[in-house]
Amino acid sequence: MKILAINPGSTSTKIGVFHDEELVMHNTIRHTPETLSHFSDAMEQFAYRRQLVIDTLSEEHIPFDFDVIVGRGGLLKPIEAGVYEINEKLLSETRNAVYRHACNLGSLIAADLASSLPHCHALIADPGVVDELEDIARINGCPLMPRFTIWHALNQRAIARRFAKEHNQHYEDLNLIVCHLGGGISMAAHKKGRAIDVNNALTGEGPFTPERSGALPALPLVDLCFSGEYTREQIIKYVTSGSGMMAHLGTNDVPTVLKRIEKGDKKAKLVLDAMIYQIAKDVGSLSTVLYGKVDAILFTGGVANSTYITDQLKERVSFIAPVYIYPGEDELTALAMNALSAMRGEQEIKVYR
């Protein structure tokens, strides 16, 4: 089974080619802010990123003869976890998604490339809108704004299954708190194979992140929106990509902040420590969702490469449960293995309705 996996992110497009379980090619294409500044939003980058995928495969001498192309799923309506065939309804709703994030391009590029090949399937797997919340977790103080999820479902579920396999257990038998630490931060309570509570990592919940605001006080935010100084689009961009460390320190790059701390920058240390503090506080909150019965706490994502951060997190939360660190993410492999499993009939290929 020849599989092409495509994972578009805010600042990169990752491509993986697999022959069954074997990774035969991996490439991360970085997109500079200067390059992306020519596009008004991520959705306008479709043709640019699609061509980069084609060019990269050609440069790597990879024949364009895939059995399945699987893309990172976009910000659709809430759906259950699993693998989905990309159909016209899914594509239409992706093109018209309210949140125009780069991840939306995954299904669009996958479907477009697969359409040029005979008998090639186009799939998505565990998109960021996977919704397994318990009903009690949907309620907040404002019925006009019920809670919904946007999170790193693909990587979180893959890491949870990896942990279970490493410990000769089944994901469906464990209670885990999994935290994806990246440009966005998602934190979930996984109860016996379902993420029953998770923050919305894009629209303003949870801790602040390298570039996102996290939870904000409601009344000052209302005042900001009605100040007349900002448009709706400017506020959204600020909250989702211009806040957090970026707003405080002028950068969303954790290694850069760590170098500033090493040189004695006290403000940089305070801001980064505050982010760590908020992450730890939310881990504590999620432990109550599981009644304190937590088998392990897992930290993953690019930010988990920093021992400065993970050591502090361990110090704050290890009293709850053992802590395990899985730096980085392997979403390409997760995409490919989900696709392979589905094509082999080991899991259902679902229909998006």
Side-chain angles (χ1 to χ4, degrees), residues 70 82-83 123 125-126 154 333-343 347:
V70 56
V83 176
L123 307 174
D126 286 342
L154 180 65
T333 299
L335 284 170
M337 293 307 100
N338 269 284
L340 181 61
S341 173
M343 295 300 293
Q347 62 172 305

Side-chain angles (χ1 to χ4, degrees), residues 187-209:
M187 308 174 61
H190 295 246
K191 179 182 179 182
K192 313 300 183 187
R194 293 176 59 248
I196 62 171
D197 199 353
V198 55
N199 69 300
N200 189 313
L202 179 65
T203 63
E205 283 190 340
F208 74 81
T209 84

Side-chain angles (χ1 to χ4, degrees), residues 155 159 162 179-181 298-307 310 324-330:
N155 190 49
I159 291 298
R162 176 179 164 185
C179 309
H180 179 108
L181 310 179
L298 315 180
F299 290 106
T300 182
V303 174
N305 282 292
S306 167
T307 55
T310 56
Y324 296 83
I325 311 298
Y326 293 89
E329 51 78 19
D330 196 5

Side-chain angles (χ1 to χ4, degrees), residues 78-295:
I79 57 176
E80 64 182 18
V83 176
Y84 290 79
E85 190 95 42
I86 299 174
N87 58 21
E88 190 50 48
K89 182 174 178 60
L90 188 151
L91 291 173
S92 175
E93 294 189 8
T94 299
R95 294 187 189 102
N96 296 296
V98 173
Y99 302 110
R100 298 172 72 80
H101 188 275
C103 66
N104 293 339
L105 298 172
S107 58
L108 300 180
I109 295 173
D112 183 84
L113 295 180
S115 68
S116 65
L117 295 171
H119 314 300
C120 181
H121 292 264
L123 307 174
I124 63 168
D126 286 342
V129 291
V130 166
D131 187 344
E132 301 171 321
L133 295 184
E134 292 189 336
D135 288 341
I136 197 170
R138 300 184 190 281
I139 306 299
N140 61 22
C142 182
L144 298 175
M145 296 183 287
R147 293 186 69 225
F148 66 100
T149 58
I150 296 176
W151 61 300
H152 302 89
L154 180 65
N155 190 49
Q156 281 213 25
R157 286 168 57 84
I159 291 298
R161 291 186 183 281
R162 176 179 164 185
F163 169 82
K165 184 177 181 180
E166 289 175 354
H167 291 80
N168 298 312
Q169 299 184 72
H170 298 287
Y171 169 50
E172 292 76 13
D173 295 331
L174 296 171
N175 286 347
L176 304 169
I177 295 174
V178 186
C179 309
H180 179 108
L181 310 179
I185 293 176
S186 65
M187 308 174 61
H190 295 246
K191 179 182 179 182
K192 313 300 183 187
R194 293 176 59 248
I196 62 171
D197 199 353
V198 55
N199 69 300
N200 189 313
L202 179 65
T203 63
E205 283 190 340
F208 74 81
T209 84
E211 61 185 25
R212 296 176 188 166
S213 69
L216 294 173
L219 292 183
L221 180 59
V222 170
D223 289 340
L224 194 66
C225 292
F226 284 88
S227 68
E229 297 180 22
Y230 306 94
T231 65
R232 178 179 183 272
E233 289 71 25
Q234 287 173 326
I235 292 288
I236 291 173
K237 186 173 183 179
Y238 180 71
V239 168
T240 58
S241 62
S243 294
M245 281 188 354
M246 174 64 77
H248 285 287
L249 302 174
T251 180
N252 61 1
D253 185 60
V254 171
T256 297
V257 174
L258 291 171
K259 289 178 182 177
R260 286 168 57 173
I261 292 172
E262 290 174 2
K263 294 178 180 178
D265 188 329
K266 293 182 179 180
K267 180 179 179 181
K269 184 178 189 307
L270 178 62
V271 170
L272 186 58
D273 288 354
M275 187 179 80
I276 296 166
Y277 171 86
Q278 289 195 4
I279 295 167
K281 188 167 69 169
D282 279 10
V283 169
S285 175
L286 286 172
S287 71
T288 68
V289 173
L290 299 169
Y291 292 89
K293 298 175 181 177
V294 184
D295 294 301

